[in-house]
Amino acid sequence: MPELGPGSREAPGSRTIGVRVADERDGAALAQLRRVWVEERTGRPVDDPGFEAGFAQWWRTEQPRRTFWLAEVGSERSGYTAIGSINVVEIVHMPRPGGRGGRVGQVGNAFVLNAFSDQGVPQALLEAVIVHARERRYRRLVLAPTARSLEFYRRAGFRPAGETLLALDPGEFDPG
């Protein structure tokens, strides 16, 4: 049985919905979840035969610097199926004289399959992130919500962080 997080509960038919920290064995499940989620959003299959290999490479690169959580549904008897995920990159700020450094968590890649989005899975994943942030003593959590997820995060207590974030596409940079 997976390590159940704060959002675990019994689903209809005595299946358990649980949240746990993902590990090196979960790359393929996360790739499949990501594919299904994108296909749900687009309403069609996505023909990308190289996706799984590309995801596996990304997973190997990112796993050491991110904490991933996986939401699953199932049972010991039938096995578990990935239904959602979220991750956090820990950013450690450089200390400065007269100030303090500190850690910030950047939340990213949150997604839950449609069939489970109204069963508390998004909240359970976010709760796991917040517990982690408290344990790691993050000064704050930051994220860039989609238009679709903005109200969810606002209800959870996220507030605008000002207008100081700027972005640059390096391909458009002209040094002259």
Side-chain angles (χ1 to χ4, degrees):
M1 181 170 208
E3 175 186 322
L4 300 177
S8 65
R9 63 184 179 85
E10 289 295 312
S14 73
R15 298 179 307 163
T16 300
I17 294 176
V19 175
R20 66 177 176 84
V21 172
D23 63 33
E24 63 278 350
R25 299 168 292 185
D26 294 315
L30 286 165
Q32 177 63 19
L33 173 62
R34 182 73 162 172
R35 177 181 282 282
V36 172
W37 180 80
V38 167
E39 290 175 350
E40 278 186 352
R41 296 300 180 275
T42 61
R44 62 179 174 73
V46 177
D47 182 27
D48 185 354
F51 168 73
E52 282 73 13
F55 189 94
Q57 178 60 43
W58 178 84
W59 171 250
R60 282 189 297 278
T61 301
E62 292 297 314
Q63 190 181 10
R65 62 186 221 112
R66 294 179 190 249
T67 302
F68 292 81
W69 288 268
L70 188 61
E72 299 175 308
V73 64
S75 68
E76 283 278 342
R77 183 179 209 178
S78 65
Y80 296 93
T81 301
I83 58 172
S85 181
I86 195 167
N87 69 68
V88 172
V89 175
E90 182 172 283
I91 301 165
V92 180
H93 289 264
M94 181 187 293
R96 62 183 173 88
R100 62 184 176 130
R103 289 181 269 209
V104 172
Q106 182 174 343
V107 180
N109 309 111
F111 47 92
V112 174
L113 297 180
N114 285 339
F116 298 93
S117 63
D118 63 352
Q119 294 186 31
V121 176
Q123 294 86 348
L125 286 164
L126 187 57
E127 279 179 33
V129 168
I130 292 168
V131 166
H132 174 79
R134 287 180 180 144
E135 289 171 353
R136 301 281 301 157
R137 295 190 170 142
Y138 290 174
R139 289 183 26 223
R140 70 179 49 138
L141 288 169
V142 296
L143 55 81
T146 62
R148 187 174 178 169
S149 67
L150 181 60
E151 283 308 310
F152 168 76
Y153 289 112
R154 284 193 171 163
R155 284 191 307 272
F158 284 79
R159 299 285 173 251
E163 295 187 24
T164 60
L165 183 64
L166 303 175
L168 171 72
D169 178 344
E172 297 176 6
F173 178 68
D174 180 8

